[in-house]
Amino acid sequence: MDTTKVKELMVPVAKYATVNEDATLFDAVLALEKSQAFSAENKDPHRAVLVINKQGHVLGKIGQIEVLKALEPNYHKLPENGPAVRMGFSHRFLEKVAQNYGLWQKPMEQICKKASEINVKSVMYAPATESEYIHEEAGLDDAIHRLVMGRHASLLVIRRGRITGILRLTDVYGFAASRMKACGL
């Protein structure tokens, strides 16, 4: 695309919503809500909270999907990865899965009470593949390729083996859209 580097578009960890690894799911929801209220004034809201350890290192993230999955403990019985996870399923198939695994059998009110007992570290998403990380000096073209091919909403940005920020799809899209409009098409 051009010589724009990932570090120019990333959100630094210091400016991203975080919770300690000992926090509860409810703490993460509150941190995300607070972050979204602040973001509404500036730019697109965050859709995840970074989980950090006592040394300030990022261990993973809690997004909206992780919050909802954590409220139903039987989701851990389903396969996490593989091609079947990203495939579109019929309504009938999804109903069968819910029945077979006993998903959402209890009223939401009962499940939500657990949010104060669930530790974020036990339900966070820890990127497992190399393609979910990108170096802050990488070019934007590499980042776009990884976002598109991996169907990721964000990439964790690294420098010297440490996570320094998060590159969000929404920011990359906004940058590309602004470049298109600047061309006068």
Side-chain angles (χ1 to χ4, degrees):
M1 179 173 264
D2 62 13
T3 58
T4 303
K5 303 286 185 200
V6 165
K7 67 182 176 184
E8 296 173 53
L9 293 179
M10 75 176 197
V11 178
V13 170
K15 292 187 177 183
Y16 212 83
T18 61
V19 291
N20 187 284
E21 65 185 316
D22 297 326
T24 66
L25 187 64
F26 184 67
D27 295 331
V29 168
L30 293 177
L32 182 57
E33 189 175 272
K34 181 179 175 183
S35 169
Q36 288 175 334
F38 174 75
S39 293
E41 301 169 7
N42 300 316
K43 52 199 269 187
D44 291 326
H46 299 260
R47 290 181 177 83
V49 175
L50 298 176
V51 179
I52 58 172
N53 64 14
K54 290 170 181 56
Q55 294 77 33
H57 298 238
V58 177
L59 303 174
K61 57 187 175 178
I62 297 280
Q64 296 163 335
I65 290 291
E66 287 78 30
V67 169
L68 295 175
K69 281 176 65 176
L71 294 174
E72 172 47 78
N74 286 330
Y75 275 120
H76 80 278
K77 296 176 183 176
L78 297 172
E80 283 289 323
N81 298 311
V85 174
R86 295 202 189 261
M87 296 173 73
F89 296 113
S90 70
H91 179 68
R92 184 175 165 181
F93 177 78
L94 293 174
E95 284 179 342
K96 278 286 194 199
V97 169
Q99 287 174 347
N100 291 344
Y101 286 92
L103 302 175
W104 299 105
Q105 299 289 316
K106 298 179 183 178
M108 186 66 147
E109 294 79 25
Q110 291 178 11
I111 294 171
C112 291
K113 290 177 185 177
K114 294 181 179 182
S116 64
E117 300 168 357
I118 298 171
N119 176 274
V120 292
K121 193 172 178 184
S122 68
V123 296
M124 72 181 186
Y125 175 74
T129 65
E130 188 178 313
S131 67
E132 296 177 83
Y133 296 90
I134 191 161
H135 196 276
E136 63 182 29
E137 291 294 330
L140 197 53
D141 52 349
D142 184 20
I144 291 171
H145 181 64
R146 290 180 194 216
L147 289 165
V148 169
M149 294 304 294
R151 301 188 63 85
H152 302 299
S154 63
L155 299 172
L156 292 173
V157 181
I158 58 171
R159 179 182 65 221
R160 289 185 235 134
R162 285 197 61 193
I163 297 169
T164 59
I166 189 162
L167 181 68
R168 305 179 312 164
L169 175 63
T170 189
D171 296 327
V172 174
Y173 170 81
F175 179 81
S178 69
R179 286 291 175 100
M180 283 185 242
K181 292 187 284 186
C183 294
L185 297 177

